[in-house]
Amino acid sequence: GAVVSQHPSRVICKSGTSVKIECRSLDFQATTMFWYRQFPKQSLMLMATSNEGSKATYEQGVEKDKFLINHASLTLSTLTVTSAHPEDSSFYICSAREGTGTEAFFGQGTRLTVV
Amino acid sequence: AQRVTQPEKLLSVFKGAPVELKCNYSYSGSPELFWYVQYSRQRLQLLLRHISRESIKGFTADLNKGETSFHLKKPFAQEEDSAMYYCAPEAPYSGGSNYKLTFGKGTLLTVNP
């Protein structure tokens, strides 16, 4: 299957700093990318959906100024956690797909720890 | 409100027994439905999708629009089926021109020898 690479896989940052997470589709053009957050032993919570060249659509309760999403090309989307706080510590997962109804391929996830 | 429900958080069966993982949805329109699986220490991957009506690894899922259900079934479970299973409806947003993929809470299936 297609490959989605997420980087970094693990990051520790100080409270108040910003962290950028990259999500790349390596062998296909991702028209749509999704960003999820997963708390321990819980399901994936959709944070936002981004379509290439458009502004991301955020789910209710997700602060767009805190979680900046950029999807400037068909192979790259980034999630920037701005002014991170310990409560932002979590597992963030991206997925990408070519279009509606097609298979979504997932990154390996990023473990963010804010200290 | 749009909602997907997987009522069983944990499901344990013996090898060779039938297994059914339940999924009910409450979405407007006719969402496309998927089952995703996550094996231990691996990333999420597609198991099957409603539209293709195919059987993967012996699993099938029938869409029942009357009951708004999309239960996942396998007649004879194997130990390697032990994993976390997520029901995932695809729902429109932005006036129906785009679709987002959301996930149920998941069911952890354990197949015992």
Side-chain angles (χ1 to χ4, degrees):
Chain A
V3 177
V4 171
S5 176
Q6 191 173 337
H7 178 79
S9 58
R10 197 179 291 267
V11 59
I12 301 172
C13 71
K14 290 186 177 179
S15 187
T17 62
S18 296
V19 174
K20 180 184 284 188
I21 303 169
E22 290 188 348
C23 181
R24 294 181 184 273
S25 57
L26 298 185
D27 48 5
F28 68 100
Q29 294 189 323
T31 305
T32 305
M33 286 190 172
F34 303 99
W35 285 95
Y36 298 88
R37 183 171 178 175
Q38 187 174 35
F39 293 99
K41 298 187 179 180
Q42 294 191 30
S43 183
L44 286 76
M45 182 193 78
L46 180 65
M47 297 174 67
T49 304
S50 73
N51 290 288
E52 185 265 339
S54 304
K55 286 184 179 179
T57 299
Y58 289 79
E59 293 298 298
Q60 195 172 8
V62 178
E63 298 175 58
K64 59 180 67 176
D65 294 330
K66 174 120 183 112
F67 299 99
L68 300 178
I69 291 171
N70 183 285
H71 190 172
S73 78
L74 284 170
T75 59
L76 174 64
S77 176
T78 60
L79 167 68
T80 302
V81 183
T82 62
S83 187
H85 289 282
E87 56 264 32
D88 298 325
S89 298
S90 192
F91 194 60
Y92 294 87
I93 304 171
C94 75
S95 76
R97 64 180 187 181
E98 288 181 307
T100 299
T102 63
E103 179 176 355
F105 296 95
F106 286 79
Q108 69 269 41
T110 297
R111 172 76 56 196
L112 170 64
T113 303
V114 184
V115 297
Chain B
Q2 298 180 336
R3 188 168 60 242
V4 54
T5 303
Q6 290 183 251
E8 303 130 334
K9 195 172 181 178
L10 302 169
L11 184 61
S12 182
V13 300
F14 285 102
K15 177 182 173 182
V19 63
E20 180 180 58
L21 292 89
K22 293 185 170 55
C23 172
N24 289 89
Y25 63 91
S26 173
Y27 279 72
S28 57
S30 299
E32 188 53 60
L33 289 143
F34 302 82
W35 276 97
Y36 279 82
V37 60
Q38 187 169 28
Y39 300 101
S40 179
R41 287 189 284 276
Q42 294 187 30
R43 63 185 74 185
L44 266 165
Q45 58 186 282
L46 177 68
L47 179 62
L48 57 80
R49 70 190 90 180
H50 158 248
I51 196 170
S52 61
R53 304 184 71 81
E54 55 192 343
S55 170
I56 304 293
K57 297 184 178 182
F59 284 96
T60 58
D62 290 323
L63 176 62
N64 185 321
K65 290 187 177 181
E67 296 179 358
T68 59
S69 67
F70 188 54
H71 302 329
L72 183 68
K73 300 177 184 179
K74 185 169 182 175
F76 308 103
Q78 303 299 314
E79 289 179 67
E80 56 265 29
D81 295 328
S82 296
M84 192 74 172
Y85 291 80
Y86 295 96
C87 180
E90 183 181 76
Y93 69 99
S94 296
S97 58
N98 293 301
Y99 290 79
K100 60 183 180 180
L101 191 64
T102 56
F103 287 81
K105 292 188 183 300
T107 297
L108 180 61
L109 173 65
T110 302
V111 182
N112 300 297

